[in-house]
Each structure stands twice: as C-alpha cells, then as structure tokens.
Amino acid sequence: MKINENFLKIESSYLFSNIAKKVKAYSAANPEKEIIRLGIGDVTRPLAPACIEAMHKAVDEMANAETFQGYPPEYGQDFLLDAILENDYKARGIDLEKTEIFVSDGAKSDCGNIGDIFSLDNRVAVCDPVYPVYVDTNVMMGRAGDKTENGWSNIVYMPCTAENHFLPAIPENHVDIIYLCFPNNPTGMTATRAELQKWVDYANREGAVILFDSAYEAFITEENVPHSIYELDGAKQCAIEFRSFSKTAGFTGVRCGYTVVPHDLKFNGTELNAMWARRQATKFNGVSYITQCAAAACYTPEGKQQIRDIIAYYQKNAKTIYDGLKACGFTVYGAKNSPYVWLKTPDNMKSWDFFDLLLEKIQVVGTPGEGFGPSGEGYFRLTAFGSAENTEKAVARIKDYFGK
Ligand SMILES: *Cc1c(COP(=O)(O)O)cnc(C)c1O
C-alpha cells in the first residue's frame, strides 16, 4: 500500500491557523482588550428572510409522503436551474442550456474537483497573490511538481501588484489551465470587459482553458466590469465558470453554488461538459432539496431585494474601511467591486509585522498579504464582512493610531 505522497509535500494551511494562534496568544495575555476581527472571508449577516421561508416550506414538504423528496437530481433541481439561467445569464444577454449548469455545494469544492478532468501533464497558471485552493488542489493531484524557493515547479505564477494594477500579464509562454478570479480575492481588484477579453482570446489562440471564479460577482458596481465571463466573445469555447451563493446570499453555512461547463467547450473533440457530468454523477452527492429551495428563493423579487440590501450593508463597510484608511494616508485598493480592501503597508513594512502591529496597538485583526503568495508581501487585507458597528470601531482605532 502506498499513500498519495503529494499530500506530504503540502504544508498544513498555515495562514489562518497562524493568525488564530497569534490572536489566541495575545488575547490570553491581554484578556481585557477587545479584539475586532476583519480578517476572515466569512459573512456575518443572517440569511435573507425569503430564503428562510423557502427552507421552512421545504422542510414541511419533506414531512409529507406526497411532497417528500428523496435523492436529488444529480445536476440540480429544474426550478433552480431555470432561475439561474433566467436571472444570472439571460438577463445579461447570455444564452445557456440547463445541461450546462451543475448545481453543487459550493465553489470551493468545484474549483478543486475540476482538476479531475484534466491530465496531470498540463501547465497551470495562477495569480499571485491567490486563493490557496487553486494551488493546493493541484499539489494534491501531483500536477504542481515540487516545491522550490519560487513556489511549485510546474505552476506559473502571475504577479499582481500595484505596478500592473493587480491584473496579471498574459503569459509569454504557453500555459494550459488558467485560474482567474474577478473580482479578486484577496486584492479586491477586478478586470474590465476589455481586459478579460484579452484572456479569452489568449486561451482560444493557445488551446488553453480558463477556470473563472466569479464568487464575488454580486459586489460589482462598475458598468464595464463583466459579471460573467460568458459576456465575452468566444468564452464558451474556452472557459468554465464557478459561482457561489456564499458571498452573494450569505450561504457560507448552507453551502450552495454552481459551475457552468458550456457544450462548446471541447478539446480533441471531447466535451468537457460530458466529463464533468460523469465526474459529478459518480463522486458528488447532489445538493439537498431544502438548500436548493433556499437558493431558488434568492431569485424571487423579495429575495433579490433582501439580498441587495445585505450586499449594500457590506459595501458600506468596505467604503468605511477604504475611506478611513485613505484619510490616514494609506495607499488602498479594492472595495469598489468587492468586500475586500487591500492596502499597502506603511513604510514597506512586512505584512506579518503589520499584522502584529495592528493586533498589539489597536487590537484589529486582518490578513497579511504574504499569506496569499510572495507578491502579497507588503500588502494587507481587511474585509467588509464584519458588523457595521465593529467596522466603524476598527476604523476609528486606525484613525486614532495612524491619523496625522
Ligand atoms: C469564498 C470564496 C469562494 C466560495 O466558495 P464556496 O465553497 O462556494 O463557499 C470561492 N472562491 C473564492 C475566491 C472565494 O473567496
């Protein structure tokens, strides 16, 4: 018996456990201090009432032989697929078929599992800094190569820094699989339609596939920023899109998302759609009826309004943080189309040193940019997912300490 030794190559997730350790130690030594957490990317507002109502109703249906539901359809309930097609795509001028949508338990699993349908020989490109799931799942499968001083040997890192306005440059050499996430976690920055079109053109020219994570689509406020990669010409021939109800509708504790694999996406005559369908039917258990009823309720008129209000609440927090930091002289990015504020640390401070400073001096917890990749060094992430009260309190402390 041999284990998958790729797992030995990977460090245990050090970023958030390291943060938790530091916060715990500080809190034990300073029990009287009130710590404000603006670090983790989890939502805090309760679910929209429309979703709660739909779930209660679904539970009652389960109590009745006439309306009871057993195993869910493998790729999602028709009523949810219809709502997705109508609202997320048709309304934006995108025609997709029901069989191109795969409802799932969230974008994290799908972004990770999608690697099952690709050969280990492919060359993978990721942004740096990056959402760790893209890299770690490739390491686990053995596609990332070996760990070197410059990251994994078979992974192409595309630096995203202030110099390129946090937009990766198109690779000079061929890559096969490209992970893109816009609006981006962690930088909070995004790509315009014209900028993203260049990636679609590159992928079609090179015969590459784009794995497009649009988990933060609901936070987009600017007109020239695409909500879906399929708004771009030729994207159905080269891109898979991941969507999530987590950040959009506060489903981080409910778990639901979906993945779009267009029928036009073919390599050597094989539809990736058929491969993903086969993969999901075998390895994925489907999403509970109750959860899918809650997801469908996001698309009702009441649901839409309630969710818009929740997003607006977080957007206001993002603006509070952004404006507050700016007023203190910080160089700040993100926030406009995102719940994330990405700031340059003062005086080129290392991002972990800045973390310690904020914790010790004003008891505000954020996330050091270095934890998302080497190009995140010198940057720091604050999130808008806290309560308005805590966000304002944190910003007041920052102003007191750093304000001129
Ligand atoms: C939060 C997040 C997701 C959402 O994942 P779920 O599994 O649907 O909760 C996906 N991608 C990125 C980049 C995220 O930050």
Side-chain angles (χ1 to χ4, degrees):
M1 198 325 265
K2 292 192 180 102
I3 58 164
N4 176 353
E5 293 197 351
N6 294 310
F7 279 71
L8 305 181
K9 297 180 182 176
I10 213 168
E11 287 176 48
S12 53
S13 164
Y14 99 115
L15 177 59
F16 288 104
S17 61
N18 230 9
I19 291 174
K21 248 185 252 160
K22 279 176 177 267
V23 173
K24 200 171 164 200
Y26 179 85
S27 170
N30 304 276
E32 77 291 352
K33 299 276 194 192
E34 185 215 18
I35 294 170
I36 301 179
R37 288 178 174 78
L38 297 182
I40 294 181
D42 194 2
V43 299
T44 53
R45 304 301 300 157
L47 290 175
C51 298
I52 295 295
E53 234 172 81
M55 289 170 100
H56 279 304
K57 184 166 161 277
V59 169
D60 287 339
E61 286 171 25
M62 289 299 218
N64 232 307
E66 288 76 50
T67 48
F68 169 79
Q69 301 270 338
Y71 284 124
E74 278 153 347
Y75 311 126
Q77 300 279 353
D78 269 345
F79 60 80
L80 178 55
L81 296 171
D82 283 332
I84 289 169
L85 286 179
E86 193 60 37
N87 293 279
D88 289 343
Y89 294 103
K90 207 158 190 193
R92 298 194 182 281
I94 301 160
D95 271 319
L96 288 169
E97 290 172 26
K98 245 186 245 186
T99 52
E100 296 176 305
I101 312 280
F102 297 86
V103 173
S104 75
D105 62 354
K108 183 171 95 171
S109 346
D110 286 0
C111 287
N113 294 333
I114 198 76
D116 279 10
I117 67 171
F118 303 121
S119 161
L120 295 185
D121 288 337
N122 289 302
R123 214 164 161 69
V124 173
V126 297
C127 291
D128 167 26
V130 69
Y131 179 58
V133 174
Y134 312 148
V135 174
D136 291 357
T137 53
N138 277 292
V139 174
M140 288 173 183
M141 287 193 79
R143 199 179 285 114
D146 294 310
K147 196 160 197 173
T148 74
E149 271 179 21
N150 303 313
W152 297 92
S153 57
N154 288 347
I155 290 192
V156 175
Y157 294 87
M158 307 184 289
C160 298
T161 60
E163 285 69 46
N164 58 16
H165 219 60
F166 304 95
L167 269 181
I170 304 267
E172 284 171 17
N173 298 317
H174 174 83
V175 297
D176 301 295
I177 299 174
I178 303 154
Y179 289 84
L180 293 177
C181 173
F182 294 120
N184 188 261
N185 177 13
T187 69
M189 297 296 273
T190 193
T192 63
R193 210 163 267 120
E195 286 155 348
L196 204 52
Q197 184 68 56
K198 290 184 200 160
W199 282 97
V200 170
D201 295 344
Y202 169 85
N204 279 323
R205 204 165 58 233
E206 292 284 321
V209 66
I210 294 175
L211 304 178
F212 189 74
D213 185 345
S214 75
Y216 296 95
E217 164 276 325
F219 287 84
I220 293 172
T221 60
E222 290 176 310
E223 194 50 48
N224 62 348
V225 176
H227 289 250
S228 163
I229 195 160
Y230 305 116
E231 289 179 38
L232 305 164
D233 292 335
K236 280 188 188 173
Q237 282 78 41
C238 67
I240 291 176
E241 178 161 283
F242 303 95
R243 289 277 185 113
S244 171
F245 293 94
S246 285
K247 315 301 164 31
T248 312
F251 273 43
T252 55
V254 180
R255 312 307 289 134
C256 195
Y258 64 87
T259 289
V260 183
V261 190
H263 289 298
D264 287 349
L265 190 53
K266 290 180 200 154
F267 289 82
N268 295 327
T270 302
E271 273 193 28
L272 295 191
N273 180 288
M275 294 178 73
W276 184 243
R278 192 71 182 82
R279 191 267 172 217
Q280 289 298 79
T282 303
K283 287 198 187 179
F284 179 61
N285 262 338
V287 178
S288 80
Y289 175 70
I290 297 162
T291 295
Q292 294 195 62
C293 287
C298 298
Y299 298 106
T300 60
E302 313 77 63
K304 280 184 192 172
Q305 186 53 53
Q306 292 159 3
I307 286 165
R308 266 198 296 271
D309 292 345
I310 297 170
I311 298 280
Y313 178 96
Y314 294 133
Q315 282 169 329
K316 188 157 178 262
N317 286 347
K319 189 167 165 24
T320 302
I321 299 170
Y322 185 94
D323 291 349
L325 286 164
K326 210 149 193 185
C328 299
F330 282 92
T331 306
V332 217
Y333 305 95
K336 278 193 193 79
N337 300 294
S338 162
Y340 297 124
V341 178
W342 188 244
L343 61 113
K344 190 91 195 72
T345 58
D347 307 320
N348 288 320
M349 224 172 162
K350 295 271 185 202
S351 55
W352 279 105
D353 291 344
F354 188 67
F355 173 91
D356 292 335
L357 179 82
L358 285 194
L359 178 61
E360 282 157 24
K361 301 295 182 191
I362 59 172
Q363 295 80 49
V364 171
V365 177
T367 315
E370 190 270 340
F372 297 102
S375 295
E377 182 56 283
Y379 295 93
F380 199 79
R381 191 189 77 175
L382 291 173
T383 88
F385 286 132
S387 69
E389 189 193 357
N390 276 346
T391 303
E392 277 158 26
K393 215 190 263 179
V395 170
R397 289 184 193 176
I398 289 171
K399 281 184 168 166
D400 275 348
Y401 188 78
F402 293 98
K404 304 236 158 77

